[in-house]
Coordinates of all heavy atoms in Angstrom, one line a residue:
Chain B
D29 N -81.4 229.6 170.1 CA -81.4 231.0 170.7 C -80.0 231.6 170.8 O -79.0 230.8 170.8 CB -82.0 230.9 172.2 CG -83.4 230.6 172.2 OD1 -84.0 230.7 171.1 OD2 -84.0 230.1 173.2
G30 N -80.0 232.9 170.9 CA -78.7 233.6 171.2 C -77.9 233.8 170.0 O -78.4 233.7 168.8
G31 N -76.7 234.2 170.2 CA -75.8 234.4 169.0 C -75.6 235.9 168.7 O -76.4 236.7 169.1
Q32 N -74.6 236.2 168.0 CA -74.3 237.6 167.7 C -74.7 237.8 166.3 O -73.9 238.2 165.4 CB -72.8 237.9 168.0 CG -72.4 237.7 169.4 CD -70.9 237.7 169.6 OE1 -70.3 238.7 169.2 NE2 -70.4 236.7 170.3
I33 N -75.9 237.6 165.9 CA -76.5 237.9 164.6 C -77.7 238.8 164.8 O -78.3 238.9 165.9 CB -76.9 236.6 164.0 CG1 -77.9 235.8 164.8 CG2 -75.7 235.7 163.5 CD1 -78.5 234.6 164.2
D34 N -78.0 239.5 163.7 CA -79.1 240.4 163.7 C -80.3 239.8 163.1 O -80.6 239.8 162.0 CB -78.7 241.7 162.9 CG -79.8 242.6 162.8 OD1 -80.8 242.5 163.5 OD2 -79.7 243.6 161.9
R35 N -81.1 239.2 164.1 CA -82.2 238.4 163.7 C -83.4 239.3 163.1 O -84.3 238.8 162.5 CB -82.8 237.6 164.9 CG -81.9 236.5 165.2 CD -82.3 235.8 166.5 NE -81.3 234.9 167.1 CZ -81.3 233.6 166.8 NH1 -82.2 233.0 166.0 NH2 -80.3 232.8 167.3
A36 N -83.2 240.6 163.4 CA -84.2 241.6 162.9 C -84.2 241.7 161.4 O -85.1 242.1 160.7 CB -84.1 242.9 163.5
T37 N -83.0 241.3 160.8 CA -82.9 241.5 159.3 C -82.6 240.1 158.7 O -81.8 239.3 159.2 CB -81.7 242.4 159.1 OG1 -81.8 243.6 159.8 CG2 -81.5 242.6 157.6
T38 N -83.3 239.9 157.7 CA -83.1 238.6 157.0 C -82.5 238.8 155.6 O -82.9 239.7 154.8 CB -84.5 237.9 156.7 OG1 -85.0 237.6 158.0 CG2 -84.4 236.6 156.0
L39 N -81.4 238.1 155.3 CA -80.7 238.2 154.1 C -81.1 236.9 153.3 O -81.3 235.8 153.7 CB -79.2 238.2 154.3 CG -78.7 239.3 155.3 CD1 -77.2 239.1 155.6 CD2 -78.9 240.6 154.7
K40 N -81.1 237.1 151.9 CA -81.3 236.0 151.0 C -80.1 235.7 150.2 O -79.4 236.6 149.8 CB -82.5 236.3 150.0 CG -83.9 236.4 150.7 CD -84.9 236.8 149.8 CE -85.3 235.7 148.9 NZ -86.5 236.1 148.0
F41 N -79.7 234.4 150.1 CA -78.5 234.0 149.4 C -78.8 232.7 148.6 O -79.8 232.0 149.0 CB -77.3 233.9 150.3 CG -77.2 232.8 151.2 CD1 -76.5 231.7 150.8 CD2 -78.0 232.8 152.3 CE1 -76.5 230.5 151.7 CE2 -78.0 231.7 153.2 CZ -77.3 230.5 152.9
Q42 N -78.0 232.4 147.7 CA -78.2 231.2 146.9 C -76.9 230.3 147.1 O -75.8 230.7 147.1 CB -78.2 231.5 145.4 CG -79.6 232.1 144.9 CD -79.6 232.1 143.5 OE1 -79.9 231.1 142.8 NE2 -79.4 233.3 142.9
F43 N -77.3 229.0 147.3 CA -76.2 228.0 147.3 C -76.8 226.9 146.3 O -77.9 226.3 146.5 CB -76.0 227.4 148.7 CG -74.9 226.3 148.7 CD1 -73.6 226.7 148.5 CD2 -75.3 225.0 148.9 CE1 -72.6 225.7 148.5 CE2 -74.2 224.0 148.9 CZ -72.9 224.4 148.7
N44 N -75.9 226.6 145.3 CA -76.2 225.7 144.3 C -77.7 225.9 143.8 O -78.5 225.1 143.6 CB -76.1 224.3 144.8 CG -74.7 223.8 144.8 OD1 -73.9 224.5 144.3 ND2 -74.5 222.6 145.5
E45 N -77.9 227.2 143.4 CA -79.2 227.7 142.8 C -80.4 227.6 143.7 O -81.5 227.8 143.3 CB -79.5 226.9 141.5 CG -78.4 226.8 140.5 CD -78.0 228.3 140.0 OE1 -78.8 229.2 139.9 OE2 -76.8 228.5 139.6
R46 N -80.1 227.3 145.0 CA -81.3 227.3 145.9 C -81.2 228.5 146.8 O -80.2 228.8 147.4 CB -81.2 226.0 146.7 CG -82.2 225.6 147.7 CD -81.9 224.4 148.4 NE -82.5 224.3 149.7 CZ -82.2 223.6 150.7 NH1 -81.1 222.9 150.6 NH2 -82.8 223.6 151.9
W47 N -82.4 229.1 146.9 CA -82.4 230.4 147.7 C -82.6 230.0 149.2 O -83.4 229.1 149.6 CB -83.6 231.2 147.3 CG -83.3 232.0 146.1 CD1 -83.8 231.8 144.9 CD2 -82.6 233.2 146.0 NE1 -83.4 232.8 144.0 CE2 -82.6 233.7 144.7 CE3 -81.9 234.0 147.0 CZ2 -81.9 234.8 144.2 CZ3 -81.2 235.1 146.5 CH2 -81.2 235.5 145.1
L48 N -81.7 230.6 150.0 CA -81.8 230.3 151.4 C -81.7 231.6 152.1 O -81.5 232.7 151.6 CB -80.5 229.5 151.9 CG -80.4 228.1 151.1 CD1 -79.0 227.5 151.4 CD2 -81.5 227.1 151.7

Side-chain angles (χ1 to χ4, degrees):
Chain B
D29 291 342
Q32 300 170 53
I33 54 172
D34 175 11
R35 290 173 193 264
T37 305
T38 298
L39 307 171
K40 292 174 75 177
F41 72 101
Q42 283 189 80
F43 181 68
N44 283 351
E45 307 297 334
R46 184 179 155 205
W47 282 102
L48 301 168

